[in-house]
Amino acid sequence: RGGSQPAPPTDHRAEIITEIRHLLADLKPTDAERAAWSATYLGRPDANPRLADVAALTDYVKFLRVRAGKAA
């Protein structure tokens, strides 16, 4: 039987990045804060979220939710 391959799991990267953008827009961090947070959670101050590890993005969005006073 030629069964079909299961679909690869979706990593929800685009949804996480969109939420990060919204949270950053709400928080209005300084350039220094944004760079520090990115360095802490994504490994570099100028990290590209599209290339970051999904677990790191998830940790970053959790941090931003707490910072914004939203439920983690």
Side-chain angles (χ1 to χ4, degrees):
R1 278 188 181 173
S4 64
Q5 294 283 350
T10 305
D11 66 12
H12 305 291
R13 180 182 310 273
E15 293 170 22
I16 297 168
I17 291 170
T18 298
E19 184 172 0
I20 288 170
R21 286 187 184 137
H22 288 297
L23 288 164
L24 288 172
D26 290 345
L27 288 167
K28 298 175 180 54
T30 65
D31 289 342
E33 287 173 322
R34 187 184 290 247
W37 298 345
S38 183
T40 299
Y41 290 94
L42 305 181
R44 295 175 47 147
D46 61 347
N48 181 343
R50 290 184 207 111
L51 303 176
D53 180 70
V54 174
L57 290 171
T58 301
D59 288 345
Y60 190 24
V61 83
K62 287 177 185 176
F63 164 77
L64 293 173
R65 285 178 188 160
V66 170
R67 185 93 179 177
K70 300 181 182 202

